[in-house]
Amino acid sequence: MLKTKSPRTGSLPLKSTIAALIISLLLLAAPSLLAVTMDDLVSRWRLPDYPGVLPQLVDYRKTPYGRNVQVDYMIATSLCRLDDDASLALGQKFFHRILAAYELTPENRQQIELEFSRCVETVVTHDRPIWIVFAGIRADAGVSGKTFYWLDQKNGPLGGDPIHSLREIDKSELEARRFTPAQRRQAVAKVGQLAGAGFRVLATEHFVIASASGQSQSELEAIGRHLDATMRFFHEDYGMPLPEYLVTIYLTPTTGELRRLADRVHGLRLEYESIGYSFRDDFSIAGVVSGAHSGTLKHELFHLMARSHFGDILPWLDEGMAALYEVSRRDGERIDGLQNWRGDVLRRFWSMRPEIGELVRMDWRTFDAEGERREQQAANHASARYLALFLQERGQLAALYHAFQQQQVADLSDDPGEDAARLLQQTLQQPLASLDQDFVAWFQSLERPLGIEALKQVQRSLNRLGFDAGTVDGLMGGNTRRAVMAFQRSEGLSRTGRLDTTTLGLLKARAEDSGI
């Protein structure tokens, strides 16, 4: 971490500086109505006209997807070229935030650290800042993806690798792929053309879905309903703005087909194990999906929607919450995460688990365990996912998301990790050591979840024995849990709703006795 030097001398009072204006603009809830494009901002920044472009950059930062690394970099470098203490200090805070919250390529990080070193010099630099073409997974290009590895036949998928751009997609072509809900017919035609032969295409309230994975019409409609409900939930619970345009979903049957689609439609090169990605510039998500499953799509939908107002979301919160919805259930208007395979990963690599205080201090390099074993990355990602589940079960997850989303750069110190730990502690009103102890106790009390087919058999048995478990879907939803509790009551067991060994054994015995 680069450390800040003493501020320059001879500064103006804070209230008379550009920094004071920037801070006041940051605190305003909405941008002005002045129409300005990213191209306009870049041109003015490169003139250079730092005092003139700064208010526009801060205004633009409040627009959908305006809170991104390129905008924050232009703000930081502009502030660092104004000759007063307050502007310098605020510029340094933006640099700290960039290095902590954005996933960067090694080249991008090196360039940013060079500019940061200029910002901490005691004499103002008049050199023009480096123009950076950001190429990270979650940089301004707006691409996010999941690549999974298998360490052995028993282990679940673990880690991730970057997505590489092979060629630029013309801006006019990207704009031609964006359709409002009133343009569903045109959207279906365009997406069918892009996807190519063999894809079935349909439109829902918020999505256009193109599949070559062999789903029936009813399965595609079910995926659409799940995604529409998830989008509404993200909007209502987390305040994520609803996209102005329909989101396009591409479904492929294999990773090889996904790679070919990424190349053909988005000019991307995926790693061989990739199972999904999102591409913000044309509001699309692609994934390897069979049947009516939508876990990968919900994961990428979280990334796509969260970045509309929270581009600098910290890694543990970003991946933890996105992974939470990989396996989830719908209960009325709510979408709740359930246990999944990452629990077994965490159990296997428990000795490598970062404590909560360490986890929340991580930047992307540490979180993705760059230069370390894949097992450490697996432990970090699994810890983040189960921390999100733990906070969901305590009813604290939404409040925590809002607290971090509303955090202002101007209020940060030169240590983003400590800022994150402090805000978590303040929001949950609990010391982090105590929180970690509660998490460990909670996690160790969890039973390992049954697989989908095993849970379907439990649901069939409950239904046939007269305990209404609802739809046989392999998910531990409210109906299934109530049915388990009713069965436990009938057997004189504690009504926990959990499928422990005793409950499963008795259920199997009663089913066999009844000839089921």
Side-chain angles (χ1 to χ4, degrees), residues 7 51 73 75 119 130 144 171 173 215 237 335 342 369 377 385 399 422 433 470:
Y73 175 73
I75 291 174
C119 191
I130 300 168
S144 165
K171 183 181 291 188
E173 167 59 22
Q215 286 94 346
D237 258 46
I335 306 292
R342 293 182 193 264
Q377 184 190 73
R385 198 274 178 182
R422 190 180 308 111

Side-chain angles (χ1 to χ4, degrees), residues 97-172:
R97 184 67 175 183
I98 291 167
L99 293 169
Y102 292 109
E103 192 166 15
L104 305 165
T105 65
E107 181 185 11
N108 288 165
R109 178 170 288 274
Q110 185 178 30
Q111 292 168 323
I112 289 169
E113 288 178 343
L114 173 59
E115 285 298 330
F116 193 4
S117 68
R118 293 176 178 177
C119 191
V120 299
E121 295 298 328
T122 55
V123 179
V124 66
T125 178
H126 295 288
D127 294 339
R128 294 193 180 187
I130 300 168
W131 170 243
I132 298 179
V133 178
F134 288 101
I137 298 176
R138 295 174 182 85
D140 190 53
V143 182
S144 165
K146 296 307 299 175
T147 302
F148 289 153
Y149 288 85
W150 299 77
L151 292 188
D152 57 43
Q153 294 299 316
K154 297 179 181 179
N155 190 42
L158 299 184
D161 261 351
I163 293 171
H164 304 277
S165 177
L166 295 175
R167 62 185 178 278
E168 291 280 334
I169 306 295
D170 187 81
K171 183 181 291 188
S172 62

Side-chain angles (χ1 to χ4, degrees), residues 291-306:
H293 303 300
S294 56
T296 298
L297 306 178
K298 292 174 185 174
H299 183 122
E300 294 302 332
L301 181 61
F302 179 90
H303 288 316
L304 192 66
M305 290 186 66

Side-chain angles (χ1 to χ4, degrees), residues 469-480:
T471 304
V472 177
D473 58 6
L475 296 177
M476 192 67 178
N479 287 336
T480 302

